[in-house]
Amino acid sequence: MSEMPDYAVILTAIVILVGVIGVLNAFRRVRVNGWERTAVYVDGVFDRLLEPGIHRLWKGRGRLMLVPISLDQQVRSIRADVLSSERMPLRLTASVLFRIENAELSLREPVEPRLDLAVQSALIRLAGETPLDALLAHAPETTDILTAHVGDTVGAARIERVEIAAVTLPPEIRRLLSDVERARLDGLAALERARSEQAALRALANAARLLK
């Protein structure tokens, strides 16, 4: 009879252990790093935004979906077909350095489409104000002008830097510039040959005078 209480204690411990395991399994453990936020969706509906730290989410509410949002620096490449101040067609590619400043707003208004539109508009405006040679040379002042045209913030993103990464001319314009450069080099070569011939003629003339 004295062994009965021991069985009761063991049974109670097992019940408690099973209960604790059941409670733990009913929650999902989520870790959010300091450089991010995590959006929680329940059955496809936004529920809340998790700050950095350890969180436990009850699984019984419905199907959970977690969407991490990085607050680190990000780089995006954006292209636009533009006309220079001389009405020369070309394509500009800009590199944008930005951070998401408002994580919850970025869920309602995705950053990428707004950023693309703002930077493309700024590239078109910059090209219309800038000579082609300055764009091709990646003049330093174009970075400041482009960044000013985009602004400090676009939706949920804070803009840190915008600069022109590439300038692409249409194939026919590239061929034309290549022909012009080839003609320039041919002209320089012809000029050098003419100078050499004149120097040779002068040397022959000097030699003839000495022979007399």
Side-chain angles (χ1 to χ4, degrees):
M1 297 293 293
S2 61
E3 296 180 357
M4 292 299 293
D6 294 337
Y7 290 134
V9 171
I10 294 173
L11 182 60
T12 302
I14 292 174
V15 170
I16 292 174
L17 181 60
V18 170
V20 169
I21 294 174
V23 170
L24 292 177
N25 286 336
F27 289 86
R28 179 173 177 179
R29 184 178 182 273
V30 179
R31 178 175 181 173
V32 181
N33 297 303
W35 43 265
E36 66 179 353
R37 302 294 183 270
T38 297
V40 180
Y41 290 83
V42 180
D43 291 333
V45 179
F46 175 72
D47 181 66
R48 55 180 160 146
L49 194 67
L50 300 181
E51 298 292 328
I54 303 296
H55 304 267
R56 295 190 183 279
L57 305 177
W58 184 40
K59 299 178 181 179
R61 295 182 57 193
R63 183 174 57 87
L64 292 176
M65 182 176 69
L66 304 178
V67 179
I69 303 169
S70 175
L71 303 185
D72 264 352
Q73 281 187 341
Q74 301 181 54
V75 178
R76 185 168 179 81
S77 181
I78 300 172
R79 298 179 178 85
D81 293 325
V82 301
L83 293 174
S84 70
S85 60
E86 303 94 344
R87 310 301 293 174
M88 181 75 73
L90 65 152
R91 173 174 292 176
L92 298 180
T93 302
S95 292
V96 186
L97 185 65
F98 69 97
R99 294 177 186 268
I100 292 180
E101 192 173 49
N102 188 325
E104 189 167 347
L105 178 60
S106 73
L107 296 172
R108 299 193 303 269
E109 301 177 4
V111 168
E112 287 77 7
R114 295 174 65 91
L115 196 59
D116 289 355
L117 180 60
V119 174
Q120 286 170 350
S121 299
L123 287 172
I124 292 171
R125 182 178 174 187
L126 172 69
E129 302 169 345
T130 309
L132 179 62
D133 57 351
L135 294 173
L136 292 173
H138 291 208
E141 60 270 17
T142 60
T143 295
D144 297 333
I145 296 172
L146 184 58
T147 302
H149 285 344
V150 174
D152 294 332
T153 59
V154 175
R158 172 163 291 279
I159 308 303
E160 298 190 353
R161 184 176 178 83
V162 187
E163 61 183 21
I164 295 177
V167 180
T168 306
L169 296 171
E172 59 274 13
I173 301 299
R174 292 201 299 270
R175 284 195 296 270
L176 177 61
L177 291 178
S178 178
D179 292 343
V180 170
E181 180 65 13
R182 189 180 300 110
R184 185 183 72 84
L185 294 176
D186 290 344
L188 290 175
L191 180 61
E192 188 61 30
R193 285 195 299 271
R195 287 174 178 171
S196 298
E197 291 172 357
Q198 288 178 355
L201 290 174
R202 284 195 299 271
L204 289 174
N206 291 334
R209 282 196 299 270
L210 290 174
L211 291 175
K212 292 179 179 179

